[in-house]
Amino acid sequence: MSIQLSPSSLQSVPAKLPPGMKLVAMYPIKRGRFTRVAWSPDGKTIALPSRDNTIHMYDLDNRQARILGGHPGAVISVAFRGDGRALAAGTYGARDNIIIWDRDSGQHYSLSGHLGQCSTLTWPNGRTLVSGSYVEKTIRFWDVENRTTEWLTGERVSSVTHGFFAGRLVIAASSLDGEILLIDAEDGWLIRGLEGHTQDVLMVSFGHDALASCSKDGTIRIWDSNTG
C-alpha cells in the first residue's frame, strides 16, 4: 500500500533545534509502534519495523509512504541488502520469522530457523544474511540464495552489525551476557571477544576506525577497530 504525503501534511518545525541542525520534514504516522529505523544504502529511504506486523517505508525524495504488511508477527528488526533492492525483516511470534522483500515488486518469501523470534539483522554481502535471537541464544548465517543456515549458539544476542576490524570484514554481536563478539563475516568463525562492560550490552555500531557499544551499566564505550 502506498500513501502520498503532501507538503501540507508535514508538521510544523519545532521551535528549538540544536545549533547547525535543520529539520527537513516530519511524517505524521497514525498507526504503528516503532523501536528501530534503517536507512537504505543510497540514503533515500528509511524503513521502520512496527509491532503491528508491518514495515513503514518512506521515500525521502518524493515523500511517499509505503506499508509492507502480512508479516506473521510483530516486526522488530529490518536490514537492507547492500544494493538496496531487497529488505530483510525479523519478526516475533512465528517460526517463519525472517521475511525477504523485493523492494520494487513487493514479492517476498520467508526463512525458517529461529524458534519464534528474530531480534536483529545485518546484511554484510549480497548472499549472506546474519540474524540473532536472544531468546533462542543463536546467531545464524544464512545463504539467502539457497535458503540454508548455519549457526553459533550460547549467546543472548541483542544486536548484530557489520564493519571492518583490523582490515577484516566482521560481524559484531552485542550480548546480554556483557560481551561483544567479533565473528568473521565470511566463514563464521569467532575471532575474539571484547570485554569491559559489566552488564548487558544492548547495541553496537561501527564508525570510522571505531566500534561503539552501549550497555545497561550506564556507559558508552568506543573501541579502536584496529586494535580492540
Side-chain angles (χ1 to χ4, degrees):
M1 178 172 63
S2 296
I3 303 171
Q4 180 68 41
L5 296 176
S6 64
S8 61
S9 69
L10 302 180
Q11 304 296 309
S12 59
V13 176
K16 294 182 179 180
L17 288 172
M21 183 175 290
K22 177 183 178 182
L23 181 64
V24 178
M26 292 178 62
Y27 297 99
I29 300 175
K30 295 182 179 179
R31 56 177 288 193
R33 296 171 56 201
F34 310 109
T35 57
R36 301 190 184 189
V37 61
W39 284 92
S40 63
D42 61 11
K44 296 182 178 180
T45 304
I46 56 174
L48 297 95
S50 173
R51 293 184 179 273
D52 69 357
N53 298 20
T54 67
I55 300 171
H56 289 239
M57 297 181 65
Y58 291 89
D59 187 308
L60 302 183
D61 280 345
N62 59 29
R63 294 181 177 176
Q64 275 195 334
R66 181 184 180 193
I67 298 176
L68 303 178
H71 297 89
V75 187
I76 54 179
S77 58
V78 289
F80 282 96
R81 193 171 64 192
D83 60 7
R85 298 182 63 184
L87 180 72
T91 69
Y92 180 87
R95 185 171 179 82
D96 297 335
N97 47 40
I98 298 178
I99 309 298
I100 307 297
W101 288 88
D102 182 283
R103 181 176 169 181
D104 296 326
S105 69
Q107 294 182 341
H108 61 279
Y109 63 88
S110 62
L111 299 175
S112 300
H114 287 296
L115 302 177
Q117 182 223 62
C118 172
S119 53
T120 180
L121 293 162
T122 191
W123 212 322
N125 59 56
R127 183 165 182 164
T128 302
L129 177 71
V130 180
S131 61
S133 170
Y134 62 81
V135 171
E136 188 187 26
K137 296 185 179 181
T138 61
I139 302 171
R140 290 182 177 267
F141 282 68
W142 301 85
D143 182 327
V144 177
E145 292 182 6
N146 296 316
R147 306 187 190 183
T148 59
T149 180
E150 296 180 359
W151 62 91
L152 303 173
T153 62
E155 297 289 342
R156 297 182 300 152
V157 180
S158 55
S159 74
V160 291
T161 188
H162 67 275
F164 286 90
F165 182 88
R168 189 176 183 179
L169 182 62
V170 303
I171 304 300
S174 60
S175 167
L176 297 183
D177 298 323
E179 190 177 12
I180 300 167
L181 306 178
L182 298 178
I183 303 163
D184 190 285
E186 299 297 331
D187 59 28
W189 286 96
L190 178 65
I191 299 171
R192 63 177 292 186
L194 300 177
E195 298 181 350
H197 286 294
T198 58
Q199 295 185 41
D200 302 358
V201 185
L202 303 177
M203 188 70 68
V204 284
S205 180
F206 276 100
H208 180 65
D209 290 333
L211 175 70
S213 60
C214 62
S215 167
K216 279 189 176 180
D217 64 14
T219 67
I220 297 172
R221 290 178 178 262
I222 309 298
W223 308 83
D224 188 298
S225 292
N226 296 308
T227 66

